[in-house]
Amino acid sequence: MSETILAALEQYYDTVPRRGGARGEDFGPLTLFVQEGPGWQYYARPAAGGANATAEDVRAVLKRQRELKVPESFEWVAENTPSLRAAVEEAGLHVHAHPLMVLDEDAEPLPPHPEVRLLGAGDPLLRAAVTVPALAFREPGTARGTAGPAHLAAALEDPASEEHRARVSATAWCCARASTTRSATSPRSSVSAPCPPPGGRGWPSG
């Protein structure tokens, strides 16, 4: 993986929480992102340009996460911060390693898919698209869930769904929507992330 991609990943993971409504709390070599309103509870991660964290640094963040009653979660890119694993494990946490998928820079762009498109801030389907993931992840495991159009319709009656849509619209996020002819009026699945820079080829995922 190139140094350019690794640097872009660091910027991405530091930017997403801030655009998603979180504030960054400084813990020296670590930054804890704290959601300031409704929404996703973010992680702690290495501070941009910071020194290597120690187990004591990790414990200080853990103490703060417990005070806030937020998940005791740390995320980082192993190639960029290889020493953090030892510090996290010394502090008593178990590390789950996940592969990082990055599009080959030389890969030929795929043709547009007829069932996938980007939704803009004013798209009438945006509210449904940002509500679908919460329904999908409400059930454990990876099997097909039981939620369907009726569950989505009920979820859209919740004022929180409009708050989520407004937050996504206001923070320059993009939402990709996939649909099928069986459910043409509601998204089958969706993913949202900060809009890529002009000329960009998409977002990292892991």
Side-chain angles (χ1 to χ4, degrees):
M1 193 180 301
S2 72
E3 292 298 321
T4 300
I5 291 177
L6 290 173
L9 287 171
E10 287 300 305
Q11 181 181 13
Y12 176 86
Y13 291 126
D14 187 75
T15 301
V16 166
R18 302 179 196 277
R19 289 199 176 182
R23 69 176 185 273
E25 294 193 359
D26 182 12
F27 286 83
L30 297 170
T31 299
L32 171 61
F33 292 107
V34 180
Q35 183 61 258
E36 296 195 299
W40 186 260
Q41 296 296 332
Y42 288 99
Y43 40 75
R45 72 174 325 275
N52 290 337
T54 66
E56 286 305 309
D57 295 320
V58 174
R59 291 188 186 102
V61 174
L62 285 171
K63 179 181 178 181
R64 178 61 173 155
Q65 288 172 323
R66 290 164 187 157
E67 290 174 352
L68 295 169
K69 296 181 172 58
V70 298
E72 296 173 19
S73 174
F74 292 76
E75 295 187 13
W76 68 96
V77 179
E79 289 85 349
N80 288 332
T81 320
S83 64
L84 186 54
R85 177 168 189 150
V88 165
E89 290 179 331
E90 185 180 339
L93 298 180
H94 180 73
V95 175
H96 296 273
H98 301 280
L100 197 62
M101 297 183 293
V102 178
L103 181 66
D104 188 332
E105 293 179 343
D106 298 323
E108 290 292 327
L110 295 175
H113 195 286
E115 295 180 349
V116 177
R117 67 182 178 89
L118 292 179
L119 305 182
D123 196 295
L125 282 174
L126 182 60
R127 185 171 177 177
V130 298
T131 302
V132 162
L135 292 175
F137 287 105
R138 187 173 295 171
E139 299 183 38
T142 57
R144 183 175 180 175
T146 59
H151 297 84
L152 177 58
L156 292 175
E157 294 297 321
D158 185 343
S161 67
E162 171 56 22
E163 293 174 5
H164 190 187
R165 184 211 61 77
R167 187 167 62 252
V168 169
S169 297
T171 53
W173 284 43
C174 293
C175 188
R177 175 232 188 205
S179 66
T180 67
T181 55
R182 291 179 301 170
S183 180
T185 60
S186 62
R188 178 178 63 187
S189 60
S190 64
V191 59
S192 55
C195 294
R201 300 188 64 182
W203 312 282
S205 62

